Amino acid sequence: MSAQTQTAAAPVYTPAAPIHEHQAWYIRGVMLLVIDLVLLAVMIIAFWQAAVHPGVPRVTLIIVGVVLAIATSLLQRGLTVVAPGRAHVVQLFGNYKGTVREPGMQWVNPFAIRIPVSTRIRNLETAQAKVNDADGNPIEIAAVIVWQVQDTAQATYSVDDYAKFVAIQAETAVRHIASSYPYDNRGADVMSLRGNAEEITGKLSAELGDRVAAAGVHVIETRLTRLSYAPEIAQAMLRQQAASAVVGARAKIVEGAVGMVKMALERLDEENVVELDEERKAAMVSNLLVVLCSEQATQQVVNTGSLYS
């Protein structure tokens, strides 16, 4: 079997000018909503009175009504409803001004753009991929990734589409891990995909975490959902595994049988039950090994003659 391939360090993607999340300026929006409704009512009254009173009062009331209309419009535009599990990235004239995470109705700069970002925990199941393992055998592998947006500014500005970025990097990490280790160690003291599932998933989490860190994403957990030989070699590899299991079982049986024969000869010598020369000891050893290592039950033969006939 070929030697275990060392896992190369995963590439870390670093933006030229990384932007990190900080809290945006905002105030509670409930009170401003009440003020906005009051101003709206006053505006309606002003326009109504302007239609009733002619002359100078009409002009004054119209001006007041226009000012109130602008004020109510700005107040309404600044109101932002932040749902639990979501955040709003505040951008003013192309500049990042912070993130609003507190749930409820908040009021921010009415001229700012608010970009919603989900901060909920997400599941991503990679597509079933066919990869050659470290020994060159084709295997089929898939994984499920549990992840969450940790830095909303990086998720918005460092990558084009953070969800698609995570999906592509997850598939890349799964393929890299699968090609770095053999499917089965076959008795050797090396790490394998099948025999060291916990260690493999830990390395997958670490590598994927490095790959998606630039997008402000935190990888919570990874698990392999499918791991098997490709159909074209599955039968051959199953026969090979069965043969390896038979060889291992035979080795255990022979090891135990040799120990039992050795113990029997030592007990016979200690208790002086019978004295055997080397030829008879060899015959006894041969007969005991046949009895102990045979797959089928042996038939007893009673020797009615002398020991040497």
Side-chain angles (χ1 to χ4, degrees), residues 46-204:
F47 282 119
W48 173 57
Q49 291 297 321
V52 175
H53 298 82
V56 176
R58 172 179 294 180
V59 176
T60 304
L61 290 172
I62 291 175
I63 294 174
V64 172
V66 171
V67 172
L68 291 177
I70 296 174
T72 55
S73 176
L74 292 177
L75 286 176
Q76 290 178 5
R77 181 175 173 80
L79 291 174
T80 302
V81 178
V82 182
R86 293 181 71 86
H88 287 259
V89 174
V90 180
Q91 176 180 304
L92 180 62
F93 304 130
N95 296 320
Y96 172 64
K97 293 300 180 181
T99 300
V100 180
R101 280 182 175 262
E102 185 175 356
M105 181 176 290
Q106 315 299 344
W107 190 85
V108 298
N109 190 324
F111 298 102
I113 298 174
R114 282 136 286 177
I115 305 173
V117 178
S118 174
T119 57
R120 298 183 180 96
I121 297 175
R122 303 189 186 187
N123 279 329
L124 168 66
E125 186 173 4
T126 63
Q128 180 175 306
K130 183 180 289 186
V131 192
N132 289 339
D133 66 357
D135 293 336
N137 299 317
I139 62 173
E140 293 181 346
I141 187 170
V144 61
I145 315 296
V146 183
W147 62 280
Q148 183 182 28
V149 173
Q150 192 173 46
D151 192 310
T152 56
Q154 285 186 298
T156 304
Y157 298 109
S158 295
V159 295
D160 186 38
D161 185 340
Y162 64 89
K164 185 176 181 180
F165 180 80
V166 172
I168 295 176
Q169 293 303 321
E171 183 176 355
T172 303
V174 168
R175 287 180 175 274
H176 181 254
I177 288 294
S179 62
S180 299
Y181 298 94
Y183 177 85
D184 197 351
N185 56 18
R186 302 176 191 173
D189 189 17
V190 295
M191 187 177 295
S192 64
L193 298 173
R194 189 172 69 92
N196 304 91
E198 292 295 330
E199 293 86 346
I200 293 299
T201 53
K203 290 182 177 294
L204 177 60

Side-chain angles (χ1 to χ4, degrees), residues 263-280:
M263 182 179 63
L265 292 176
E266 290 177 352
R267 292 290 300 276
L268 290 174
D269 289 339
E270 291 175 359
E271 299 181 8
N272 294 321
V273 176
V274 63
E275 293 184 2
L276 300 175
D277 56 14
E278 295 300 324
E279 182 181 354
R280 291 304 169 183

